């Protein structure tokens, strides 16, 4: 393991952590609204949220690159604010990761919220609990397994991103070069020993994450 490897590992962990925190903050109210609303617009929003699951990452990265570029509306707005352009920066990479991993947060939470049912909410209403108190004192504790699943899956998915990361972040050491991009560089340079360490580490990480989720779900069922 070289210094570049450790820098990429730290940058990947930082990106995955920030992405997970932002997704839980944004995805929780969105999942609650989707779980409690049955309308044409909620279906449209649900379809948009799910699109990254079926859309090729390079397609999503390409359009995000156009939106954030100098000719795109987002790029012109950030330039007007004095923030500069977002492509090939860590901030742009973070925004792209949030969008790409959004369904991995929203879908587990949406299923957990739907599984609660209406009965606990009705009981809370009879006790004169406000919607705020009901959500934080009743809904979130009951949806805890969904919250844990959403957080773990969002973190793990961000660690394994490649297409969107390469399109938006590029390959800048110390700024946007994460593990998946560094692994590609190692293979391209025929440095198979270093590539093996990175690939094996990601393989073990993915297995441990999935095994932990399966054990968690099994204990909950028991």
């Amino acid at each position: 393991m070289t210094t570049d490897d450790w820098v990429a590992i730290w940058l990947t962990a930082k990106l995955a952590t920030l992405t997970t925190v932002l997704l839980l903050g944004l995805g929780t109210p969105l999942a609650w609204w989707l779980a409690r609303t049955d309308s044409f617009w909620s279906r449209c929003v649900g379809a948009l949220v799910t699109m990254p699951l079926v859309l090729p990452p390079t397609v999503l990265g390409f359009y995000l690159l156009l939106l954030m570029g100098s000719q795109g509306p987002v790029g012109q707005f950030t330039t007007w604010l004095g923030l500069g352009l977002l492509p090939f920066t860590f901030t742009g990479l973070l925004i792209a990761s949030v969008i790409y991993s959004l369904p991995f947060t929203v879908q587990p939470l949406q299923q957990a919220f739907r599984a609660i049912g209406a009965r606990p909410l009705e009981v809370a209403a009879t006790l004169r609990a406000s919607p705020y108190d009901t959500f934080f004192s009743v809904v979130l504790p009951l949806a805890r397994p969904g919250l844990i699943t959403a957080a773990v899956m969002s973190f793990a998915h961000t660690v394994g991103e490649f297409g969107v990361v390469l399109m938006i972040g590029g390959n800048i050491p110390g700024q946007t070069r994460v593990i998946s991009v560094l692994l590609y560089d190692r293979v391209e340079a025929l440095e198979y020993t270093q590539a093996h360490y990175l690939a094996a580490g990601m393989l073990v990480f993915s297995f441990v994450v999935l095994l932990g989720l399966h054990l968690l779900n099994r204990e909950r069922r028991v």
Side-chain angles (χ1 to χ4, degrees), residues 71-140:
Q71 302 301 320
V74 177
Q76 293 178 356
F77 180 68
T78 55
T79 302
W80 178 75
L81 291 176
L83 302 176
L85 298 176
L86 296 177
F88 310 112
T89 65
F90 182 81
T91 303
L93 186 60
L94 178 61
I95 294 174
S97 297
V98 168
I99 296 174
Y100 186 49
S101 297
L102 185 60
F104 290 88
T105 300
V106 173
Q107 287 196 344
L109 288 174
Q110 187 177 351
Q111 294 174 4
F113 290 150
R114 284 178 176 170
I116 293 175
R119 181 61 178 171
L121 306 181
E122 294 172 354
V123 172
T126 60
L127 297 175
R128 297 183 180 180
S130 65
Y132 180 87
D133 291 333
T134 300
F135 184 76
F136 284 96
S137 301
V138 178
V139 174
L140 288 185

Side-chain angles (χ1 to χ4, degrees), residues 40-101:
F40 172 76
W41 294 111
S42 66
R43 294 189 183 97
C44 291
V45 173
L48 287 174
V49 170
T50 312
M51 278 187 67
L53 293 177
V54 297
L55 198 65
T58 50
V59 174
L60 179 60
F62 172 70
Y63 282 110
L64 288 177
L65 190 62
L66 292 181
L67 287 173
M68 297 179 184
S70 58
Q71 302 301 320
V74 177
Q76 293 178 356
F77 180 68
T78 55
T79 302
W80 178 75
L81 291 176
L83 302 176
L85 298 176
L86 296 177
F88 310 112
T89 65
F90 182 81
T91 303
L93 186 60
L94 178 61
I95 294 174
S97 297
V98 168
I99 296 174
Y100 186 49
S101 297

Side-chain angles (χ1 to χ4, degrees), residues 120-174:
L121 306 181
E122 294 172 354
V123 172
T126 60
L127 297 175
R128 297 183 180 180
S130 65
Y132 180 87
D133 291 333
T134 300
F135 184 76
F136 284 96
S137 301
V138 178
V139 174
L140 288 185
L142 291 176
R144 182 183 175 185
L147 285 168
I148 296 176
T149 301
V152 173
M153 292 300 295
S154 299
F155 187 92
H157 185 254
T158 304
V159 170
E161 289 178 5
F162 177 74
V164 172
V165 167
L166 193 61
M167 293 289 287
I168 298 297
N171 189 4
I172 305 176

Side-chain angles (χ1 to χ4, degrees), residues 3-15 88-91 93 169-179 181-182 185-186:
T3 304
D4 290 339
D5 296 332
W6 290 113
V7 171
I9 291 172
W10 160 247
L11 188 63
T12 303
K14 177 183 175 181
L15 176 65
F88 310 112
T89 65
F90 182 81
T91 303
L93 186 60
N171 189 4
I172 305 176
Q175 298 184 32
T176 62
R177 187 165 70 180
V178 294
I179 294 178
V181 177
L182 180 60
D185 288 345
R186 297 298 191 212

